[in-house]
Amino acid sequence: MSTQRRILLIIGGGIAAFKSLDLIRRLRDRGFAVTPVLTPAAEQFVTPLSASALAAEKVYRDLFDLTDEAEMGHIELSRSADLIVVAPATADLMAKMAHGHANDLASTLLLATDTPVLIAPAMNVRMWEHPATRRNLATLLADGVRTIGPDEGPMACGEFGFGRMAEVPDIVAAVETALADGPLAGRHVVVTSGPTHEPIDPVRYIANRSSGAQGTAIAAALVALGARVSFVTGPASVPPPPGVEVVSVETARQMRDAVMAALPADAGVFAAAVADWRVANAADRKMKKDGSGTPPALEFAENPDILAEISSLTEDRPALVVGFAAETDNVVAHATAKRARKGCDWILANDVSEGTGIMGGSENEVTLISDAGAETWPRMGKDAVARQLAQRIAEALA
Ligand code: CTP
């Protein structure tokens, strides 16, 4: 199931169009797919090639491009996105939108769509303050169009005032707010995932077999419900899901620091397979055979228990802390004891004994242990477990 959301970005013809190239990058950084549309005037400021390269997508420019029509008609194009963003929205584009013109690709897409629209106006301050633009803006707001900016400041034309396009991070934030409609909208969740690598020397490390699949699926399911997710991941073998803020770490101590830095959060889900031990006498140069035939002696030190540490915070403790327990016997008894020992609210326990096929497999059978007792879920795919957990988290935080 793809949870990636798509933005149709209409770039109007104004000096601020150069910022729209950065906007494409920032939107992609946040996990959005971006389909750029350039007006003929926009092409005076940015090239279709740069927009296409940054978006890694085809750029649409011409209403009467028959190849495009064969591949995807303009009606379909206008409805293929989760949100249409017009940036910069020039005075002319706003006027066309307000009056329902459809004489080029951009205006036709805007008239044909039933997708929500966000505009980032940019124009000279006199044009912005002109009664015609005020009327158009009022019409657009009444039509349900969302706006971001313009900002006040010096303008390319040498004047000062309102009319500068909003800064790119503010447009990205407005995009996220416009799309935040799930039960976890406005919630922040920290998720740990994957294994940790504990160095022995600069070229060797101790690791475990965690793929990061379950943590990744949980993060994706939380994003799909509208949460902002800080995804703190060790070197996993599956890529992070779109739409999360990725913090890549290697060691348990780096993971702990990254989790602390990501707080405050409404919930924490600790799905990482954190190494319990690190090598205390890790070498800063590659260890060499000394010819004596005696292997080096590794000394171990205990790593921080991230789940226990976060659970015991007095300030900044997430309202809901969820841990995992992989057990091979007496699953419920061991996991119930682990929940008490670590001080977390929920433990998702699973039986990873040989023969269950769960370790490294695509399915999972979990028992949710909370104040309410132990509740065993039917065996299902790891994606389905993730969606079920995300739903339960949404209910608990509601
Ligand atoms: N965990 C953590 N930091 C650690 C070790 C574990 O945050 N240093 C988290 C894991 O992400 C998981 C939970 O604690 O959510 C369970 O860890 P587990 O290794 O199973 O528990 P242990 O305390 O090691 O208990 P045992 O050795 O009995 O399995």
Side-chain angles (χ1 to χ4, degrees):
M1 183 191 74
S2 169
T3 54
Q4 190 172 31
R5 289 174 295 176
R6 179 168 292 277
I7 307 297
L8 188 72
L9 175 63
I10 296 178
I11 303 178
I15 187 71
F18 77 94
K19 287 201 218 169
S20 303
L21 296 179
D22 192 36
L23 178 61
I24 295 175
R25 278 187 42 206
R26 301 294 161 207
L27 287 169
R28 293 194 64 211
D29 285 350
R30 302 287 295 124
F32 295 102
V34 180
T35 308
V37 174
L38 264 67
T39 66
E43 290 188 29
Q44 302 294 321
F45 296 92
V46 295
T47 69
L49 188 61
S50 34
S52 169
L54 286 165
E57 296 251 0
K58 176 180 168 59
V59 169
Y60 292 85
R61 310 154 60 187
D62 190 350
L63 181 56
F64 300 108
D65 184 325
L66 291 176
T67 323
D68 290 355
E69 283 295 319
E71 279 169 22
M72 184 191 276
H74 59 265
I75 303 289
E76 199 188 327
L77 178 61
S78 78
R79 295 175 191 170
S80 62
D82 298 285
L83 181 71
I84 298 183
V85 177
V86 187
T90 59
D92 182 60
L93 263 173
M94 286 176 64
K96 282 181 169 167
M97 286 174 77
H99 296 277
H101 288 222
N103 60 352
D104 59 14
L105 181 59
S107 54
T108 303
L109 291 174
L110 286 159
L111 192 65
T113 195
D114 51 8
T115 303
V117 178
L118 169 74
I119 63 171
M123 64 197 73
N124 167 275
V125 58
R126 298 275 165 270
M127 292 166 80
W128 177 246
E129 285 170 0
H130 195 283
T133 304
R134 311 312 298 163
R135 280 196 301 276
N136 292 336
L137 178 65
T139 303
L140 293 175
L141 291 173
D143 288 347
V145 170
R146 290 167 176 263
T147 65
I148 171 78
D151 293 346
E152 192 179 27
M155 323 202 75
C157 53
E159 295 191 65
F160 187 93
F162 281 98
R164 282 168 62 94
M165 186 166 86
E167 293 301 330
V168 168
D170 296 336
I171 300 177
V172 173
V175 166
E176 294 190 310
T177 307
L179 287 174
D181 52 5
L184 285 173
R187 301 295 194 169
H188 178 213
V189 185
V190 180
V191 177
T192 70
S193 184
T196 64
H197 283 183
E198 306 296 333
I200 297 171
D201 70 13
V203 296
R204 305 179 178 98
Y205 56 81
I206 294 175
N208 61 64
R209 294 190 198 280
S210 166
S211 64
Q214 187 65 83
T216 300
I218 290 167
L222 291 164
V223 168
L225 296 189
R228 176 164 80 84
V229 174
S230 296
F231 187 66
V232 182
T233 175
S237 48
V238 297
V244 300
E245 288 165 32
V246 182
V247 187
S248 296
V249 298
E250 292 209 341
T251 68
R253 287 184 294 173
Q254 290 168 354
M255 186 172 275
R256 188 260 317 263
D257 292 348
V259 169
M260 292 302 260
L263 297 180
D266 298 288
V269 180
F270 296 88
V274 185
D276 289 326
W277 309 96
R278 67 175 177 276
V279 179
N281 59 341
D284 52 14
R285 293 179 181 193
K286 187 181 170 195
M287 289 179 171
K288 307 291 279 182
K289 292 185 286 289
D290 64 4
S292 69
T294 317
L298 297 182
E299 288 164 24
F300 289 92
E302 196 166 352
N303 266 331
D305 187 318
I306 306 168
L307 175 62
E309 228 174 274
I310 300 300
S311 297
S312 69
L313 288 176
T314 42
E315 250 176 71
D316 272 356
R317 184 192 190 277
L320 181 66
V321 178
V322 183
F324 283 75
E327 309 289 351
T328 54
D329 57 279
N330 290 314
V331 176
V332 171
H334 280 146
T336 303
K338 191 169 285 179
R339 172 173 173 261
R341 197 166 65 240
K342 302 215 182 200
C344 57
D345 304 299
W346 296 354
I347 281 258
L348 273 193
N350 53 11
D351 182 350
V352 292
S353 56
E354 250 180 292
T356 60
I358 282 172
M359 205 71 166
S362 59
E363 291 195 325
N364 209 346
E365 184 175 332
V366 304
T367 302
L368 173 63
I369 294 166
S370 68
D371 265 345
E375 173 190 327
T376 299
W377 297 352
R379 191 180 175 109
M380 50 186 146
K382 286 183 177 172
D383 281 353
V385 170
R387 285 196 294 275
Q388 175 86 356
L389 176 63
Q391 195 56 48
R392 295 296 285 266
I393 290 173
E395 286 162 17
L397 293 179

